[in-house]
Amino acid sequence: MTCGSDACADDAKITAAVEAGFERHPELEPPDTITVQTVNHVVYLYGLVDTSLEISMAESVAHETPGVARVVDMLTINNR
């Protein structure tokens, strides 16, 4: 994927802001493993969480982050 330098910089800022938002929610900290990737203002969430509530919370944090156009949730529940 290629993008203009402004778009790439914006995507990096969005990713950092979403990750910072997760840090304010202890429920989303390890052992949950959430990876955030942003492409053209679309946030992709990958990884494992313990409950469907945590999936909803992660989506909500991402949606509330300034600059996010859309959130694509690819999180799964860890069946330990």
Side-chain angles (χ1 to χ4, degrees), residues 1 17 21 61:
M1 190 223 103
V61 168

Side-chain angles (χ1 to χ4, degrees), residues 28-54:
L28 299 175
E29 293 296 305
D32 292 342
T33 56
I34 301 174
T35 301
V36 180
Q37 181 181 17
T38 307
V39 179
N40 292 328
H41 299 261
V42 177
V43 173
Y44 296 85
L45 303 175
Y46 306 93
L48 297 172
V49 296
D50 291 328
T51 67
S52 59
L53 179 62
E54 290 172 356

